Amino acid sequence: MDIKKQIKLDIISMKPYYTLKNLIIPLGIVLIYSYINKSPFVMLSMTLSFAVIFSTFPFLLGENSGIDGLYKIFSIDSKKVVIGRYILAGFIFIFANLIGFSIYIIISLIKNMPVGLDMSMLIGINFIIYSVIISFQYPMFFKYGYTKAKTFGYLPILIIGILGMVIGAFIKDFGPILKFVEENESMIVIGLVILIVIFLTISIKLSINFYKKRDF
């Protein structure tokens, strides 16, 4: 079975959970919070949260339905399974942000607010955070399974949240930081892209090794 078919199988297993009933609550929460705030940018952090949650579904459903075990029983290449899950995580991120961006446009029009051109930067920040979280979570899920790893899997989210609060408490004026970012934008973007590629590469290699050795 190739990677494309494996991704389709994961999507099919997740499909029953992506019903209007299950999606209406998170969509409603995002809409309400985006509307009551002065800027709908708050929905970006919520979009990221939902993307991270949904990215764990293939492991949850694969474990509960026994699909992961079947992959091993039928000697499906572990490398293909791992790469397929990472590609699917990318699709989930894109889908979540498309919905988030659509909501942002709708709320901006309703509240007669200009559509910020820095939206791409904010989505880029979301992608960096998402990649870091995925790079930490996925090797643990492949090694221990969703049930055993889920508690520690959300550790990076907690750490990022704490770091955000600490930075916000100690740095009162972000002006100099923003100025530095603007003056060195290209260098920073290139550096971050390199780091993300390194994180994901290490994460994928670890996941492949863990999944090969895992007993079901």
Side-chain angles (χ1 to χ4, degrees):
M1 181 168 65
D2 59 23
I3 294 174
K4 186 177 179 180
K5 290 180 180 178
Q6 185 261 314
I7 292 174
K8 284 184 177 180
L9 186 57
D10 274 340
I11 291 175
I12 290 172
S13 69
M14 295 164 62
K15 193 174 180 180
Y17 291 83
Y18 288 124
T19 61
L20 181 61
K21 180 181 177 181
N22 290 338
L23 292 175
I24 197 167
I25 294 177
L27 285 174
I29 293 173
V30 172
L31 279 168
I32 292 171
Y33 272 86
S34 298
Y35 185 80
I36 64 177
N37 281 271
K38 293 181 179 179
S39 170
F41 283 141
V42 67
M43 66 84 191
L44 281 174
S45 61
M46 300 185 72
T47 298
L48 173 63
S49 299
F50 288 127
V52 170
I53 292 171
F54 289 139
S55 70
T56 66
F57 276 25
F59 296 94
L60 169 63
L61 301 176
E63 187 174 290
N64 289 343
S65 64
I67 292 177
D68 285 338
L70 288 175
Y71 289 156
K72 297 287 287 187
I73 292 173
F74 290 107
S75 300
I76 296 172
D77 191 351
S78 299
K79 184 177 180 180
K80 291 181 179 179
V81 175
V82 170
I83 293 176
R85 288 275 168 89
Y86 277 86
I87 292 174
L88 181 57
F91 287 150
I92 291 172
F93 176 82
I94 292 171
F95 181 72
N97 277 272
L98 284 174
I99 293 177
F101 184 74
S102 299
I103 293 174
Y104 170 78
I105 296 295
I106 293 170
I107 298 299
S108 295
L109 292 174
I110 292 174
K111 301 188 76 172
N112 196 26
M113 297 172 61
V115 178
L117 296 177
D118 54 352
M119 191 70 178
S120 58
M121 182 187 72
L122 294 172
I123 292 177
I125 293 173
N126 263 6
F127 177 71
I128 292 169
I129 297 173
Y130 183 77
S131 298
V132 171
I133 293 173
I134 292 300
S135 295
F136 180 86
Q137 284 185 333
Y138 273 32
M140 297 183 67
F141 288 145
F142 276 113
K143 184 173 184 178
Y144 299 109
Y146 177 81
T147 302
K148 293 181 179 178
K150 64 180 180 180
T151 302
F152 294 102
Y154 289 100
L155 186 61
I157 302 175
L158 178 62
I159 293 174
I160 291 172
I162 292 173
L163 286 174
M165 290 188 290
V166 170
I167 292 172
F170 283 94
I171 301 177
K172 302 300 180 182
D173 184 12
F174 286 91
I177 297 176
L178 293 175
K179 184 179 179 181
F180 175 80
V181 171
E182 290 176 358
E183 292 175 350
N184 302 275
E185 184 176 350
S186 298
M187 182 183 68
I188 292 173
V189 169
I190 293 172
L192 287 173
V193 169
I194 293 173
L195 282 175
I196 292 302
V197 170
I198 292 173
F199 285 156
L200 288 173
T201 301
I202 294 173
S203 179
I204 290 172
K205 287 185 176 181
L206 285 174
S207 294
I208 293 172
N209 289 332
F210 292 153
Y211 191 62
K212 283 180 178 178
K213 298 176 182 177
R214 187 177 166 194
D215 294 323
F216 288 89

